[in-house]
Amino acid sequence: MHAFESNPSDLPKFYLTVAYPYPSGAMHVGHGRTYIVPDAIARFWRMRGRQVLYPMAFHVTGAPVIGISKRIARNDPKTIHLYRDLYKVPQDVLAEFTDPLTIVRHFASEYQRVMTACGISIDWRRRFTTVDPTYSKFVEWQWKHLYAAGHVIKGAHPVRFCTVDDNPVGDHDLLEGDKAEVIRFTLVMFWYGDAFIPTATLRPETIHGVTNLWVNPEVTYVRALVDTRPWIISRQAAEKLVLQDHAVEVKEEIPGKDLIDKTVSHPLCGEVPILPAGFVDPDMASGIVMSVPAHAPFDYIALRDLQQQGRYTQIKPIPLIKVAGYGRIPAQEAVEKAGISHQMDSRMDALTQEIYSVEFAKGRLFEKYGGKPVRVARDEVAEEMIAKYDSTVMYEFDTRPVVCRCGNKVMVKILHDQWFLKYSDPAWKRQVSDLLKTMALVPPEVRIEFDRTVDWLKDWACTRRVGLGTRFPWDTAQLIEPLSDSTIYMSYYTIAHRIREIEPRILTPAVFDYIFLGKESPDLPEKKKIATMRKEFLYWYPYDFRFSAKDLISNHLTFQLFHHVTIFPKDKLPKGMVVFGMGLLNGAKMSSSKGNVFLLEDAVTEFGADTVRMFLMGSAEPWQDFDWRNELVISTKKQIERFYTTIMGAKDASGEPHDIDRWLTSRLQEHIARTTAALENFQTRQALQEAYFGIETDLRWYRRRLPADCDGSRELATLCSVWVRLLAPFIPFTGEHLWKELAGEGLVSFAPWPVADKKLLNTRIELAEELLSRTVEDIESIKKLIQLTPKSITIALAPEWKQAIFTTIARSADRTTVIREIMKDEEMRRRGKEATDAAKQCTTLIHRLPPQVVGPLAEEPVNERDVFESAQAFLEHEFGVTVHITDADSSSHAKAATALPFKPAIIIE
Ligand SMILES: [Zn+2]
């Protein structure tokens, strides 16, 4: 338990952190991988002689847990089911969940218990929660610097908002629509008697081409007084406008069908009729839209559908934009070229986007409408409409539905006096882009996603009215929201166990300035204690790698870079990030709210911690998605059992080494080197392929090749020690147990990582065994094919001249021209077709052989006669018949002519 407590030392350090959990429920196997992969990496570097720090804390800031406690208090059946049946919270504990802090405390200790059961090597002394008073002092210090740097601003902004929680809604608070963005629409106001009918548009300049409005005849609209003027809008729009600074009073209902065939007017397009359309969504902006069939594919096709029924045939599309590459009526052209026959065609959205983009980029208004480029006219027309024609702005999401975690529909609200982190600031963005260029990002493909996120990040509402957390220093009625108080806490880990000894009251910003920035100031309290903390920080920071799931790229992982560049000096900025794929359960996405999860603790109870670990790390690389399937996990369990039995059976081997031991030892050096390289690159799957399957396969061959009376030499005992250490980061419980059986010193967790010894590499022996094992496989497959009991086997070896061809091809850089070169040789020319055929066959063979075989063969061929003669007894024992070794040249059998270097002909009689 205390073995992994880590203090500054003379050793070089390795500091890794994982995004800490929000402990509002039980851990499932998907969470498990997030902590287990970094653990294997931590264990690996620990064995490599680094001082490793792997800390953990709990994120309890925010509102979700408050919602949960309220739902439990009112006996909400879904919540009770989740916590009682899925998370298995005992009834007496559940009864206390009406207090939000009890929930997070309960699950935080559950997390610690289950993580420990999984063998995760955490320094638990440094555990904290984000509502600890000392942590709040740290956050206040951080914000003082952000504010001083001009990154904290106040203003009115549209934000995602939940009216039930009375709070802005962050990405993590969303049940649906997590990519939803707020879009700014212009409401174009059409006159309808004494009322306005507002239609929302992103393209106000197309007002000149409006032929009609669309209203959904199935929808009931309302007439409402909006800021004292009557508007006709959908009921949903009336609710939304209240949140966007309008006074709204609904007066009466108006069935949509009553509006059909009425006329409206606008000064810029005159009188137009209202037509029926089923596609009009009352939950989209005002719930009524204007129709520009010449430039909007949806409008064009809806009008065409009506006209095909013989209705409204007098209406013609009115073009107004000229765009290169399109004729007079771009929407018509696009729809007809694509052969779209109805509104529901799935390509309609793409077509709409295409016309929208090309007209914005290259379009120009007709001369009679001013002749300006669309990109200029759009804003000008919008401004003109707002100034002269009663238009106003309405915000709406680009996607629907957007649903809060509480189940309520999320809407756009304009918040006043709202505090923001100014992520839109180009200078701040540039600092982060520069930092990213210096960082190691794993896998490399995520770099583009980080760059994109930095690019589009907008100002971030950083305070909330409801929830747990640190009070916002400039308005203490508000709290710092969860993603904004969790950006530099990796530095806090370095001092978390020591700062607890100091009274929060005296933790002024000056104290943190000293600990983290080395700024001296008079009257610093507890000088000795804070000097120790400064040393801890200087030793551990910056962190080497941060691990997290990929869905945090668009927020947390990027936010933390923004905050780091503002607070810390250059030499304390993050060095690397590893981004994880997602977890699937039997092929479907894991989701607690949908009940599709397998709890980590249940997995550990059923299969054992080592099995769970090895499966999570061996079934996919960390950045790939993994799929938990019980039947596959069972085979992992059997692999560990085989490993255990093998070690126990081989650990005391003490015989004299045979030739094959030199092969085994040579191979082992390669497995060590490749496992090490894989783990240095976070490739846990690749590492297990080498460290587990590679060695297991070798051992199987080794045992076959041992003389009958021998069951292994003392080299096997050496292999056991290496093997246990190579697998210890993956399966530490089995590892420790076996290490004790091997009488290893101390814990295997701290044993030295094996180092490949180049002196023990023996390429010639490896080539010889490769040739032999390939030949054995060939004999086995031929035996299967011919289906008769053989009386003898003849191995016919390729002649000298084929060997010469093989070596020439293996050495050549350009294998397409080499055949011509070979045929220039006098002797080869004499052989004619026989030689060209052999050259072609050698080329094919060389392509199929792995490079680590071709390389040494090109340098020096194997003495094949030696190999097979010394293995004659082995071969005769394997196949139970006489084995002859002969030169293909001297054999009269037709098959002998097929012999190639490294692929002798096999004649079974
Ligand atoms: Zn809500």
Side-chain angles (χ1 to χ4, degrees):
M1 191 69 187
H2 297 289
F4 304 111
E5 292 175 358
S6 199
N7 297 313
S9 79
D10 296 335
L11 297 171
K13 62 95 186 181
F14 189 87
Y15 177 22
L16 75 172
T17 71
V18 185
Y20 51 23
Y22 186 88
S24 65
M27 270 167 114
H28 56 64
V29 292
H31 299 128
R33 182 169 77 156
T34 311
Y35 307 110
I36 287 169
V37 169
D39 181 62
I41 302 300
R43 288 174 173 277
F44 166 68
W45 285 106
R46 211 174 271 128
M47 293 175 76
R48 297 275 309 266
R50 298 281 191 97
Q51 192 75 348
V52 173
L53 176 57
Y54 183 6
M56 187 63 60
F58 295 100
H59 189 208
V60 303
T61 316
V65 77
I66 293 178
I68 294 165
S69 65
K70 279 188 191 147
R71 289 200 292 282
I72 287 176
R74 63 165 193 259
N75 265 314
D76 173 58
K78 244 175 101 181
T79 312
I80 298 283
H81 168 69
L82 183 66
Y83 281 80
R84 189 189 54 206
D85 306 330
L86 197 66
Y87 296 159
K88 300 183 184 118
V89 178
Q91 193 58 51
D92 55 324
V93 180
L94 193 59
E96 285 170 31
F97 273 15
T98 48
D99 168 30
L101 273 177
T102 308
I103 300 178
V104 286
R105 284 205 193 103
H106 171 79
F107 284 112
S109 45
E110 285 294 289
Y111 263 65
Q112 177 168 353
R113 196 174 55 75
V114 177
M115 283 178 177
T116 306
C118 287
I120 300 176
S121 56
I122 288 167
D123 180 348
W124 286 110
R125 291 174 306 166
R126 299 168 191 264
R127 167 182 163 173
F128 64 90
T129 79
T130 53
V131 294
D132 294 353
T134 45
Y135 185 75
S136 284
K137 290 288 174 187
F138 167 74
V139 171
E140 283 169 19
W141 164 78
Q142 170 193 359
W143 280 71
K144 181 183 152 270
H145 283 280
L146 290 168
Y147 189 87
H151 298 319
V152 186
I153 54 161
K154 195 177 185 180
H157 269 255
V159 298
R160 295 187 294 217
F161 195 85
C162 172
T163 49
V164 170
D165 300 329
D166 193 28
N167 232 353
V169 178
D171 286 349
H172 284 277
D173 309 323
L174 284 171
L175 217 51
E176 275 183 85
D178 63 343
K179 291 278 176 283
E181 288 210 49
V182 174
I183 309 270
R184 183 192 154 108
F185 287 90
T186 303
L187 288 184
V188 181
M189 309 304 259
F190 290 86
W191 281 96
Y192 177 68
D194 67 334
F196 281 136
I197 294 188
T199 64
T201 184
L202 293 172
R203 307 184 59 183
E205 78 283 4
T206 61
I207 180 71
H208 307 292
V210 172
T211 58
N212 60 283
L213 301 193
W214 297 116
V215 157
N216 191 332
E218 307 298 322
V219 168
T220 302
Y221 292 84
V222 296
R223 181 182 166 98
L225 279 183
V226 179
D227 307 326
T228 74
R229 302 282 298 261
W231 291 18
I232 291 163
I233 46 181
S234 69
R235 186 170 283 286
Q236 291 93 324
E239 285 172 36
K240 291 173 188 175
L241 289 166
V242 173
L243 296 178
Q244 298 188 21
D245 293 347
H246 296 284
V248 182
E249 194 186 332
V250 173
K251 290 293 187 187
E252 57 177 326
E253 293 190 334
I254 301 179
K257 59 181 190 317
D258 290 2
L259 295 167
I260 306 301
D261 294 339
K262 302 280 165 44
T263 55
V264 295
S265 67
H266 191 283
L268 295 176
C269 70
E271 245 182 42
V272 293
I274 299 176
L275 270 47
F279 70 79
V280 178
D281 179 358
D283 198 15
M284 164 66 195
S286 66
I288 299 175
V289 291
M290 64 186 208
S291 167
V292 188
H295 298 281
F298 268 110
D299 294 337
Y300 172 78
I301 206 160
L303 182 62
R304 194 183 70 179
D305 283 359
L306 287 173
Q307 292 180 336
Q308 278 169 356
Q309 300 160 18
R311 307 166 69 189
Y312 308 108
T313 46
Q314 78 287 4
I315 299 179
K316 299 274 173 284
I318 304 170
L320 67 138
I321 294 166
K322 195 163 52 193
V323 60
Y326 289 86
R328 259 182 85 73
I329 304 178
Q332 176 179 17
E333 204 180 310
V335 165
E336 279 166 11
K337 204 189 273 171
I340 288 171
S341 59
H342 56 87
Q343 301 174 27
M344 294 318 200
D345 194 299
S346 60
R347 294 167 295 169
M348 285 299 288
D349 281 327
L351 269 192
T352 301
Q353 189 57 44
E354 176 191 318
I355 300 286
Y356 180 94
S357 304
V358 73
E359 293 191 347
F360 182 73
K362 298 193 260 172
R364 189 175 275 278
L365 259 51
F366 287 179
E367 281 310 322
K368 61 176 161 178
Y369 303 124
K372 291 199 173 156
V374 169
R375 62 168 82 223
V376 176
R378 182 163 299 170
D379 291 342
E380 285 184 3
V381 173
E383 273 167 37
E384 184 191 2
M385 283 180 167
I386 289 170
K388 291 197 212 156
Y389 306 120
D390 301 292
S391 275
T392 182
V393 165
M394 182 171 182
Y395 295 98
E396 181 58 283
F397 296 120
D398 59 346
T399 161
R400 265 171 311 281
V402 186
V403 181
C404 176
R405 220 189 261 220
C406 75
N408 186 39
K409 197 174 80 185
V410 176
M411 293 195 271
V412 182
K413 178 177 166 88
I414 297 176
L415 280 189
H416 293 271
D417 295 339
Q418 169 64 41
W419 291 90
F420 291 88
L421 280 167
K422 206 172 181 246
Y423 292 137
S424 65
D425 177 357
W428 203 9
K429 283 179 193 280
R430 214 170 307 120
Q431 280 179 288
V432 173
S433 300
D434 289 347
L435 170 59
L436 273 168
K437 284 183 200 123
T438 69
M439 289 181 73
L441 300 180
V442 182
E445 305 88 86
V446 297
R447 183 169 295 278
I448 183 165
E449 285 178 59
F450 276 102
D451 288 340
R452 205 181 293 146
T453 302
V454 173
D455 210 40
W456 64 243
L457 258 188
K458 302 185 180 79
D459 294 347
W460 183 262
C462 59
T463 59
R464 297 285 185 270
R465 296 195 177 276
V466 185
L468 306 173
T470 302
R471 297 269 152 210
F472 187 68
W474 301 277
D475 175 0
T476 50
Q478 302 204 48
L479 298 145
I480 295 171
E481 65 83 38
L483 278 163
S484 302
D485 78 346
S486 299
T487 51
I488 57 163
Y489 68 91
M490 312 71 155
S491 65
Y492 187 82
Y493 279 128
T494 66
I495 59 164
H497 55 317
R498 300 189 181 279
I499 198 164
R500 227 174 272 132
E501 296 166 15
I502 300 184
E503 242 194 284
R505 187 178 49 83
I506 58 173
L507 289 174
T508 58
V511 172
F512 292 104
D513 275 347
Y514 173 78
I515 295 172
F516 293 116
L517 307 174
K519 262 191 215 148
E520 289 285 354
S521 55
D523 308 323
L524 282 172
E526 303 272 17
K527 199 63 203 280
K528 214 175 131 197
K529 284 181 183 166
I530 64 176
T532 313
M533 286 190 257
R534 168 101 184 121
K535 268 190 211 136
E536 285 256 6
F537 172 72
L538 286 177
Y539 179 74
W540 294 115
Y541 232 62
Y543 69 73
D544 294 271
F545 278 95
R546 180 149 183 83
F547 295 73
S548 169
K550 64 181 167 199
D551 52 338
L552 297 192
I553 293 178
S554 62
N555 47 62
H556 167 72
L557 285 177
T558 306
F559 289 3
Q560 55 120 6
L561 301 179
F562 276 87
H563 290 236
H564 268 93
V565 295
T566 301
I567 311 278
F568 295 105
K570 266 215 162 66
D571 64 328
K572 296 292 169 203
L573 297 181
K575 286 158 83 174
M577 290 187 275
V578 182
V579 178
F580 285 180
M582 308 304 269
L584 305 176
L585 180 59
N586 299 316
K589 195 180 166 205
M590 279 191 219
S591 157
S592 303
S593 57
K594 296 190 175 112
N596 188 46
V597 288
F598 190 40
L599 295 193
L600 185 56
E601 183 165 32
D602 292 347
V604 170
T605 309
E606 191 171 341
F607 300 103
D610 280 348
T611 303
V612 171
R613 293 173 62 105
M614 184 151 145
F615 178 79
L616 289 174
M617 292 190 275
S619 61
E621 296 296 6
W623 39 91
Q624 296 167 333
D625 295 348
F626 76 94
D627 189 4
W628 181 279
R629 289 178 191 268
N630 279 358
E631 63 273 20
L632 298 179
V633 181
I634 289 168
S635 67
T636 303
K637 188 176 169 66
K638 291 194 178 128
Q639 286 154 10
I640 296 176
E641 285 163 3
R642 276 205 312 268
F643 167 68
Y644 180 85
T645 316
T646 308
I647 296 287
M648 291 305 281
K651 72 187 173 72
D652 298 322
S654 59
E656 283 303 310
H658 295 80
D659 282 349
I660 195 65
D661 282 285
R662 281 159 64 206
W663 172 81
L664 186 68
T665 304
S666 176
R667 295 278 296 181
L668 185 60
Q669 308 315 306
E670 290 172 27
H671 294 308
I672 295 171
R674 288 196 213 115
T675 306
T676 307
L679 283 177
E680 282 173 349
N681 293 310
F682 309 95
Q683 293 166 295
T684 55
R685 180 184 151 81
Q686 180 60 33
L688 273 170
Q689 290 293 327
E690 285 293 334
Y692 182 83
F693 297 102
I695 295 175
E696 191 188 43
T697 309
D698 283 358
L699 275 177
R700 220 175 284 143
W701 179 250
Y702 172 81
R703 293 202 184 283
R704 253 172 113 174
R705 293 281 285 126
L706 276 180
D709 57 341
C710 174
D711 49 54
S713 78
R714 56 178 179 264
E715 295 294 338
L716 259 192
T718 309
L719 177 136
C720 286
S721 161
V722 169
W723 204 11
V724 167
R725 282 178 286 151
L726 287 180
L727 288 178
F730 301 96
I731 48 172
F733 294 100
T734 311
E736 292 297 354
H737 181 91
L738 287 173
W739 189 244
K740 210 173 274 171
E741 291 289 340
L742 296 179
E745 201 182 315
L747 292 172
V748 75
S749 301
F750 295 91
W753 183 253
V755 179
D757 184 349
K758 281 203 177 111
K759 290 198 294 296
L760 296 176
L761 282 176
N762 192 326
T763 326
R764 303 322 298 177
I765 287 187
E766 286 197 35
L767 275 185
E769 290 303 314
E770 181 78 30
L771 171 62
L772 187 62
S773 71
R774 282 172 179 269
T775 308
V776 167
E777 268 172 41
D778 281 352
I779 295 173
E780 281 165 348
S781 49
I782 294 169
K783 264 181 72 182
K784 234 178 255 157
L785 218 64
I786 58 172
Q787 300 263 339
L788 63 85
T789 321
K791 290 189 200 67
S792 77
I793 297 170
T794 304
I795 297 172
L797 307 175
E800 259 332 290
W801 64 270
K802 283 193 186 174
Q803 188 63 65
I805 290 177
F806 185 97
T807 307
T808 311
I809 296 172
R811 281 179 187 164
S812 73
D814 182 356
R815 282 173 193 155
T816 52
T817 57
V818 70
I819 296 186
R820 238 179 298 140
E821 287 301 312
I822 288 167
M823 295 314 286
K824 280 183 191 156
D825 181 272
E826 187 61 31
E827 191 202 330
M828 296 300 173
R829 249 213 309 269
R830 211 174 49 234
R831 291 190 186 272
K833 186 172 168 357
E834 192 187 21
T836 36
D837 284 352
K840 279 181 199 152
Q841 288 155 3
C842 284
T843 309
T844 311
L845 177 60
I846 285 168
H847 272 298
R848 282 187 191 151
L849 289 172
Q852 67 267 27
V853 169
V854 176
L857 276 182
E859 275 167 35
E860 192 192 335
V862 177
N863 185 333
E864 299 192 9
R865 178 167 283 279
D866 269 5
V867 170
F868 289 110
E869 275 176 0
S870 60
Q872 194 161 12
F874 161 71
L875 290 168
E876 291 184 342
H877 177 257
E878 282 285 305
F879 296 106
V881 293
T882 324
V883 172
H884 305 288
I885 294 137
T886 176
D887 286 326
D889 277 353
S890 57
S891 169
S892 56
H893 200 284
K895 255 196 108 180
T898 64
L900 291 173
F902 221 69
K903 197 172 179 45
I906 289 152
I907 301 151
I908 298 183
E909 283 161 319

